Amino acid sequence: MTTAVIGTGGIGSVIARELASGGETLRLASADTKSARMLAAEIGRAAVVAVDNDDALRGADAVVLALRFAVLKGVIDEIADALTGKLVVVPSNPVGIDAQGNVPRLLPEGQSSGGVVAGWLPAGARLAMAFGTMSADLSESSSHRSPEPAVLFYVTDDDRAGQEVERLIRTAGFEPVKAGGIKQSGRLEVGGDLHDLVVGPAEARSLIGAG
Ligand SMILES: NC(=O)c1ccc[n+]([C@@H]2O[C@H](COP(=O)([O-])OP(=O)(O)OC[C@H]3O[C@@H](n4cnc5c(N)ncnc54)[C@H](OP(=O)(O)O)[C@@H]3O)[C@@H](O)[C@H]2O)c1
């Protein structure tokens, strides 16, 4: 199947490599296409570079928006028509980065990214928050772990999105575990109790219940 990855920086490039390693075909887009072109050259035949963000969605079954939170709404508005009927996977954490390297939270206390992103999407887009719980390095080193696979947590309000994102998570070399609906997305974010954890399925399920 085919997934569009819009944003081929720190986390988008790792997600794309992981998906390609599991046999997914990719359509890549970035701000000026340079990083997308470099990544496509590295991945090989499984990846093509889209002309622009809209083109990335052409023929894709799903899209991963691997974008910084501050640019996410602008890109969603740009490609809104193409998002209808698609699985939309968002790994973004609601943080910025300042000149000193600090990572200030961009949303008020109590507001999590999932609810905000859901409000930006057009009707008919199926949202799952996933692939943003581990740092890029940790994700890369935990993919295809054996003998016990590492878990990637996700949240969604949509059963079909859940099935679709579980397929992508398995393709990327992880075991999917649902942490709840979109209201629970704060648990997955930077500062959340399920963020930056590398655990197996049994521990993951006990953590879900404990939250
Ligand atoms: N990096 C991590 O370890 C990590 C882990 C988990 C979650 N996250 C979250 O994932 C999100 C992305 O983080 P990142 O570290 O991957 O950021 P990043 O390295 O800055 O990459 C951002 C990507 O977005 C692309 N981009 C920017 N504006 C665009 C536009 N208008 N249209 C299309 N593409 C655009 C950039 O294109 P260019 O390449 O052309 O500049 C770049 O490829 C953040 O919200 C972060 O919190 C990151």
Side-chain angles (χ1 to χ4, degrees), residues 69-117:
F69 202 76
V71 305
L72 198 49
K73 184 176 188 306
V75 172
I76 288 172
D77 288 347
E78 181 193 332
I79 60 174
D81 288 348
L83 293 177
T84 303
K86 296 260 190 317
L87 170 69
V88 180
V89 180
V90 177
S92 305
N93 284 292
V95 293
I97 184 154
D98 66 20
Q100 286 72 45
N102 302 313
V103 282
R105 199 164 192 277
L106 299 176
L107 292 175
E109 207 52 48
Q111 206 174 18
S112 62
S113 54
V116 173
V117 174

Side-chain angles (χ1 to χ4, degrees), residues 6-12 29-33 35 53 66-69 71 75 78 91-93 95 131-136:
I6 299 182
T8 49
I11 197 69
S30 59
D32 69 5
T33 76
S35 67
N53 293 336
L67 299 162
R68 293 192 184 198
F69 202 76
V71 305
V75 172
E78 181 193 332
S92 305
N93 284 292
V95 293
F131 284 98
T133 46
M134 289 183 196
S135 70

